[in-house]
Amino acid sequence: MENGDSPVRPNGDVVYLSLEGKRALSISPSDDFLTLYEPIPKNKLRSACRSIVTDASGKRRVPLYNILWIEASNGHLCIDYAAHASKTSIKLEKWTFALIKGNESPGGQVPEEFAANILARAYGDSQLRKRAYVLINPHAGPGGALRKWSSDVKPLFDAARMSLDVVTLKRGGEAVGLAEKVDIDKYDTIMACSGDGTPHEIFNGLAKRPDASRALAKIAVSHIPCGSGNAMSCNLYGSYRPSFAALAIIKGIVMPLDLVSITQGDRRLVSFLSQSLGIVAESDLGTEHLRWMGGSRFEVGVLMRIFRRRCYPCDVAVKVEVGDKNDIKAHYKRHTSDAGIKQPSVAATTGHDNSKGLPELKYGTVNGPLPDGWELIKYDKIGNFYCGNMAYMAPDANFFSAAVASDGCMDLVTVNGDLSPITATKLLYSVESGKFFDNPHVQYKKISAYRITPRDQKDGYISIDGERIPFEPFQAEIHQGLGRVISKRGIFEAAGPTDWDKVKLADRLHA
């Protein structure tokens, strides 16, 4: 095919490359797509992939976000890209073009320059060829992590030329020791192919190191969802599908994440996701025998306890930072605006001494006297104490819609346990509809520390990131920006607290 006969004629902004064999490739700097062209024989069916649009002439528009690799070598231009084969799956596709000798675009770019330019645009601020230490938990959730890794995830990482060191975990707690001993200068990320339990172990392994603050600020934690809840992936990548998370990690950027120190007795651990006592903790930890149900086991557990009207008397002391819901909405908007989401560099310490272990505790431990300025509330009928560091706790479960990755606050939700079953059930389903935050039965606060002391009940469930700890008093305080994660866009992929009256009005205006 001659340049003048091309189906995509160069004009203005279009960078054009003519290829042998009646194929052509073009890109316009004014959009975010790479256009591939190959005439389709009349008797050949065209494939239909979501996000990869192929028209009747054979032009295929591939979003730059989906470009995994492009290079020119040995007389060929090779393109690896991720195609959305369905709503639930992303598959690797490859195109290879034989180049005409001496071929250049009208702009004077040789194929090697053209490929380098496209690759730079496709990755933007994301790091090329990430180095990952992968920890696969084959027993996470309903199982199948090894299969998902090999079929859905690894092909995408290989196409992106990532460096992968893979370990299959054999026992619970093993990830703690591996993270504690890992060479943090050898990798860009420690990747958990698991549920949320393995990221919890990774953060705590890094926290046990003598250089904990440096390690937590140096190496980012990432997550391939293979468990029941998969909250970390939902928040960072907007999906609980392994292949979608893999693409988000390839193209993702590092962002700071607040971590929470938990003290109980003489023990100190860190939390990245949530802490709970009451219905949510029991519905999670008390339904281990229902793991075969996947994420549905949480709903079953919650409904069982709602109808029993379970209450969990306890004393809660909190250091409140923002207590009014309208003020919380303003806080959220301020921290998620264009100015608010500008994150410090990975090297930034956010006030932590990176040469030492974990930061010193500002408020001491649970064994000390209650700090001054804390608000003490004695709850006789609390049904759910739930404190979150991320928004989603499971797919479609945006419990903490005002959560921000590194605002120096935890989001605390408390709900009484003596609500009627009908009211409590409606409250549960309001999480999925986005109306939970504004429900009058929900007390929602932004806090920086708290202490909780169970009363009366001698045994029960306390959950830290989905892991059980003894049913005893514990204290928590936040460390702003102490950890690092790979995120899709530098913010949580969750809808924030919304003024539903305005939403309804807008819906009527556009009906």
Side-chain angles (χ1 to χ4, degrees), residues 259-401:
L259 296 179
V260 179
S261 273
I262 307 293
T263 63
Q264 187 180 58
D266 296 326
R267 181 188 180 197
R268 180 180 180 182
L269 66 151
V270 297
S271 169
F272 79 97
L273 180 61
S274 66
Q275 311 93 47
S276 62
L277 181 152
I279 289 177
V280 169
E282 286 200 3
S283 301
D284 180 4
L285 300 174
T287 58
E288 289 289 321
H289 61 292
L290 301 176
R291 276 189 174 273
W292 57 271
M293 297 179 65
S296 299
R297 70 184 177 93
F298 299 111
E299 293 185 19
V300 172
V302 168
L303 289 173
M304 290 172 59
R305 286 154 181 82
I306 281 176
F307 281 91
R308 296 175 188 169
R309 298 196 186 191
R310 290 295 302 272
C311 294
Y312 308 83
C314 59
D315 298 335
V316 180
V318 297
K319 179 69 169 65
V320 178
E321 301 298 333
V322 189
D324 178 79
K325 286 187 177 181
N326 288 328
D327 292 340
I328 290 173
K329 290 180 180 180
H331 172 97
Y332 177 85
K333 290 180 180 179
R334 186 166 60 251
H335 282 270
T336 55
S337 66
D338 290 340
I341 62 175
K342 289 181 179 179
Q343 305 290 2
S345 66
V346 177
T349 65
T350 59
H352 307 300
D353 185 346
N354 284 358
S355 65
K356 298 181 179 180
L358 289 176
E360 292 185 5
L361 294 169
K362 182 177 180 181
Y363 299 108
T365 73
V366 69
N367 299 322
L370 195 66
D372 294 335
W374 287 29
E375 176 184 325
L376 177 61
I377 304 175
K378 294 183 178 294
Y379 287 100
D380 295 322
K381 297 182 179 180
I382 192 170
N384 193 36
F385 173 95
Y386 207 4
C387 196
N389 199 37
M390 290 185 170
Y392 284 108
M393 295 295 109
D396 298 322
N398 184 356
F399 270 98
F400 304 102
S401 56

Side-chain angles (χ1 to χ4, degrees), residues 62 86 122 223 244 336 446 487 494:
V62 182
S86 69
H223 184 216
F244 285 76
T336 55
K446 284 273 186 181
S487 65

